[in-house]
């Protein structure tokens, strides 16, 4: 007998009503997680907030871990979709313009339910290495790598895989600090923030950045 993965849903919703039920359960999971934290979150509590029976919940999710994994997957899809849509609108082959749009897009993406994002960042490692947590990072790397490829004539770093990793990781860390307020400096002027980060990335990639940056 095949052992059920603890983070896999029990069954996938196919009918519209079933999909609505799953969305309601995931919405409730997000609310309970943000309000009470992972340790105090339970399937009974989630079912109550979702307005469904515990039996209905278990039709789709065998345990709390599978609920959190599905919630992470949904949250990541929203972030990646926003990033992809924004970057697809960036038709310029000018690297500085592309990196500026990437920074703006990542700040906007991490503002998609920041409190939930904080909880997922803090709590998910405690329940194991969920594949969905790493998937968003890989997809983001591929996205950055693609746009670096389009502008490679302006990039002095020859290893584009390394360049994509450095850029994506640096911007991700900075946007986390900005959006989740994990820094002591008050950063209220987003345009200035974007220019500072773009200047840093441009310097690493070996490009010129002529936009004035406020001090």
């Amino acid at each position: 007998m095949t052992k059920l993965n603890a983070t896999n849903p029990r069954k996938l919703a196919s009918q519209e009503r079933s999909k609505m039920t799953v969305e309601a359960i995931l919405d409730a999971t997000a609310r309970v997680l943000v309000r009470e934290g992972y340790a105090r979150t339970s399937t009974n509590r989630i079912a109550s907030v979702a307005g469904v029976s515990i039996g209905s919940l278990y039709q789709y999710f065998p345990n709390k871990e599978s609920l959190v994994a599905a919630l992470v997957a949904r949250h990541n899809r929203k972030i990646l979709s926003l990033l992809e849509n924004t970057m697809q609108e960036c038709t310029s082959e000018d690297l500085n313009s592309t990196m500026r749009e990437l920074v703006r897009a990542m700040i906007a993406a991490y503002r998609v339910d920041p409190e939930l994002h904080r909880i997922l960042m803090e709590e998910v490692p405690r329940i194991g290495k969920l594949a969905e947590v790493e998937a968003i990072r890989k997809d983001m790397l591929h996205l950055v790598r693609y746009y670096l490829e389009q502008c490679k004539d302006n990039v002095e770093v020859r290893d584009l895989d390394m360049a994509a990793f450095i850029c994506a990781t640096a911007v991700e860390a900075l946007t986390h600090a900005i959006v989740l307020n994990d820094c002591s400096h008050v950063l209220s002027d987003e345009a200035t923030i974007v220019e500072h980060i773009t200047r840093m990335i441009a310097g690493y990639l070996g490009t010129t950045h002529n936009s004035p940056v406020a001090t």
Side-chain angles (χ1 to χ4, degrees), residues 3 8 24 29 33 38-40 46 51 71 81 90 97 110 123 136 164 189 210 214:
K3 185 177 180 181
N8 283 344
T29 303
L33 277 173
Y38 179 77
R40 296 181 61 185
I46 292 169
L71 183 62
S81 176
C90 180
S97 298
Y110 285 113
E123 302 286 352
I136 182 92
D189 185 352
N210 298 317

Side-chain angles (χ1 to χ4, degrees), residues 101-148:
E101 289 307 310
L102 173 65
V103 173
R104 287 174 178 157
M106 288 186 71
I107 291 175
Y110 285 113
R111 280 183 173 148
V112 175
D113 204 340
E115 288 305 313
L116 174 61
H117 190 77
R118 181 193 294 275
I119 289 294
L120 295 178
M121 290 293 294
E122 293 174 352
E123 302 286 352
V124 165
R126 301 180 189 178
I127 63 173
K129 201 76 169 179
L130 296 178
E132 291 293 349
V133 178
E134 296 303 318
I136 182 92
R137 294 190 177 99
K138 291 178 181 178
D139 289 338
M140 195 178 299
L141 280 176
H142 292 154
L143 185 64
V144 176
R145 175 66 170 75
Y146 171 79
Y147 283 98
L148 286 178

Side-chain angles (χ1 to χ4, degrees), residues 5-61:
N5 188 313
T7 60
N8 283 344
R10 192 179 297 276
K11 74 174 184 178
L12 298 177
S14 55
Q15 297 182 349
E16 191 62 30
R17 184 174 180 180
S18 297
K19 291 179 181 178
M20 291 175 63
T21 299
V22 168
E23 287 300 304
I25 292 171
L26 293 179
D27 288 343
T29 303
R31 289 197 296 273
V32 175
L33 277 173
V34 169
R35 189 163 56 234
E36 302 181 17
Y38 179 77
R40 296 181 61 185
T41 295
S42 68
T43 52
N44 282 319
R45 178 68 178 135
I46 292 169
S48 175
V49 171
V52 301
S53 69
I54 190 65
S56 294
L57 184 150
Y58 283 140
Q59 285 182 3
Y60 301 100
F61 302 100

